[in-house]
Amino acid sequence: MAEEIEEFSEEDELYEHHRVVVDKGQGLLRVDRFLMDRLPNATRTKIQAAIDAESVRINDRPTKASYKVKPLDVITISLPHPPRETDLVPENIPLNIIYEDDELLVLNKPAGMVVHPAYGNWNGTVVNALVYHFQNLPTTQNGVARPGLVHRIDKDTSGLMVIAKTEYAMTHLARQFYDHTIERTYNALVWGIPEPPAGTITGYIGRSVKDRKVQTIYDDESKGKWAVTHYKTLEVLRYVTLVQCNLETGRTHQIRAHMKHIGHPLFSDAMYGGDRILRGTPVGSYKSFVDNAFKLLPRQALHAKSLGFEHPRTRQWLQFDSELPDDFRAVLEKWRNYVTV
């Protein structure tokens, strides 16, 4: 009998993850045929691609399609979500692509650009641009609204994303996100000076009961998903601090919620209370200075700076880095000038 488990991270929301325990009375049967009978909307092609990318594991080990399942085998699978009834409009929107080969591409997303169409944002997204510039991205031929996507970053967060160009790459990269072997480093400007200057933030992230748009941290696993963020101080600027955050998991708004949880909301993050003066006396020239800084960076000060992963085909480690965008750099310089006066 099959038992499904829920998604493990923000990236995983683009995938369905299953855990199947083979029934005691199950006869010997090829694993690809076994899964076709048990997973809704899973074609043999998708299952085979997942097996090739080692996204199907039996007793925590990669398998082959010819493997015959045995009673009490534990099978875990990650597959792209089935097709959805969404029409995608190709749009000639420039993409800042910093790497591309036959299997994947890495792009640097600007702040303000939504990743995929959703309520209130049906066009102008990364996906609209992808379907214009690239043909036959995985899942596009069946009408799925998220072709090539293996993860997301927030609309007003800038930085690096990896896009899959083939079914094989998609399933292989999805497995890396699932296993938390992708390396992701963010730079964030936060209010205050974190103490200690480096540490690890953990907790169960779930929607706030007061505001469903906001994520909050719980100590009860029934209220959220386990999340881990490692941070370290890069530069102290009196009332704000530039920090580096490394994600061990990838929950929705993870860095934003975690930093607020320890008392250091991101600078200019309206959703998490960082768009008001939280350190220093909010009067006079200091208030004017901060108000001007908010105008320079009218979004959360968060940038997906580096990204590292194993190439699906070559198995070589790929590492990418990006510069902070102009608005982020401008605010940093403004604070640096302020503290040296």
Side-chain angles (χ1 to χ4, degrees), residues 26-43:
Q26 175 65 49
L28 296 179
L29 182 65
R30 281 173 57 107
V31 64
D32 53 353
R33 295 182 61 86
F34 176 84
L35 292 176
M36 281 184 65
D37 293 338
R38 284 160 177 77
L39 301 182
N41 302 305
T43 65

Side-chain angles (χ1 to χ4, degrees), residues 65-100:
S66 59
Y67 175 85
K68 293 185 177 179
V69 298
K70 301 177 179 61
L72 301 183
D73 274 345
V74 177
I75 308 173
T76 57
I77 316 101
S78 61
L79 293 169
H81 272 304
R84 303 184 182 191
E85 298 278 336
T86 304
D87 291 329
L88 290 175
V89 179
E91 294 182 65
N92 186 9
I93 302 169
L95 292 172
N96 183 10
I97 298 172
I98 65 172
Y99 174 84
E100 182 181 0

Side-chain angles (χ1 to χ4, degrees), residues 145-178:
R146 295 165 176 175
L149 294 189
V150 252
H151 67 132
R152 302 177 294 182
I153 55 179
D154 294 338
K155 172 186 177 182
D156 289 325
T157 298
S158 54
L160 299 179
M161 293 182 61
V162 59
I163 304 294
K165 294 173 66 177
T166 68
E167 195 79 47
Y168 179 84
M170 177 171 275
T171 49
H172 193 281
L173 289 167
R175 171 53 67 176
Q176 292 184 61
F177 276 105
Y178 182 85

Side-chain angles (χ1 to χ4, degrees), residues 9-22:
S9 73
E10 177 178 339
E11 289 81 14
D12 291 335
E13 291 175 6
L14 305 180
Y15 291 83
E16 49 185 343
H17 294 281
H18 305 268
R19 180 176 182 272
V20 178
V21 179
V22 179

Side-chain angles (χ1 to χ4, degrees), residues 41-306:
N41 302 305
T43 65
R44 189 163 187 171
T45 299
K46 285 192 178 295
I47 290 173
Q48 184 65 62
I51 291 173
D52 290 343
E54 299 185 355
S55 291
V56 176
R57 298 188 181 187
I58 297 180
N59 304 321
D60 206 30
R61 292 185 178 182
T63 188
K64 295 181 178 180
S66 59
Y67 175 85
K68 293 185 177 179
V69 298
K70 301 177 179 61
L72 301 183
D73 274 345
V74 177
I75 308 173
T76 57
I77 316 101
S78 61
L79 293 169
H81 272 304
R84 303 184 182 191
E85 298 278 336
T86 304
D87 291 329
L88 290 175
V89 179
E91 294 182 65
N92 186 9
I93 302 169
L95 292 172
N96 183 10
I97 298 172
I98 65 172
Y99 174 84
E100 182 181 0
D101 62 26
D102 291 340
E103 296 290 336
L104 57 90
L105 61 95
V106 176
L107 59 85
N108 193 358
K109 186 189 84 68
M113 190 175 190
V114 176
V115 172
H116 61 81
Y119 182 77
N121 293 285
W122 294 115
N123 48 45
T125 73
V126 171
V127 164
N128 294 111
L130 287 172
V131 296
Y132 178 90
H133 294 291
F134 299 95
Q135 304 299 317
N136 302 317
L137 287 175
T139 70
T140 57
Q141 65 270 28
N142 291 326
V144 178
R146 295 165 176 175
L149 294 189
V150 252
H151 67 132
R152 302 177 294 182
I153 55 179
D154 294 338
K155 172 186 177 182
D156 289 325
T157 298
S158 54
L160 299 179
M161 293 182 61
V162 59
I163 304 294
K165 294 173 66 177
T166 68
E167 195 79 47
Y168 179 84
M170 177 171 275
T171 49
H172 193 281
L173 289 167
R175 171 53 67 176
Q176 292 184 61
F177 276 105
Y178 182 85
D179 290 338
H180 308 311
T181 58
I182 299 276
E183 288 188 8
R184 287 165 293 162
T185 299
Y186 288 72
N187 278 7
L189 187 66
V190 304
W191 280 105
I193 304 173
E195 186 60 41
T200 299
I201 312 167
T202 61
Y204 298 96
I205 287 186
R207 293 185 186 277
S208 167
V209 294
K210 297 179 180 179
D211 183 351
R212 299 291 290 172
K213 294 181 180 180
V214 173
Q215 303 292 312
T216 192
I217 313 302
Y218 298 97
D219 57 8
D220 183 348
E221 63 180 335
S222 68
K223 295 182 179 179
K225 299 176 182 179
W226 183 249
V228 180
T229 302
H230 307 284
Y231 75 89
K232 69 176 182 180
T233 295
L234 298 180
E235 186 177 3
V236 176
L237 297 165
R238 192 178 299 175
Y239 297 123
V240 296
T241 301
L242 180 66
V243 298
Q244 173 181 304
C245 295
N246 290 78
L247 297 183
E248 191 170 307
T249 54
R251 313 306 183 196
T252 300
H253 297 178
Q254 179 172 317
I255 292 173
R256 300 164 70 186
H258 264 166
M259 295 310 297
K260 179 180 181 179
H261 180 66
I262 64 170
H264 301 285
L266 270 60
F267 183 80
S268 201
D269 188 348
M271 186 173 290
Y272 288 86
D275 62 338
R276 52 195 174 89
I277 297 176
L278 299 178
R279 297 292 190 280
T281 305
V283 295
S285 61
Y286 174 65
K287 181 179 184 302
S288 297
F289 162 80
V290 178
D291 287 342
N292 287 331
F294 284 146
K295 292 176 182 177
L296 276 178
L297 185 75
R299 64 177 181 96
Q300 67 264 14
L302 185 61
H303 176 70
K305 194 169 192 311
S306 68

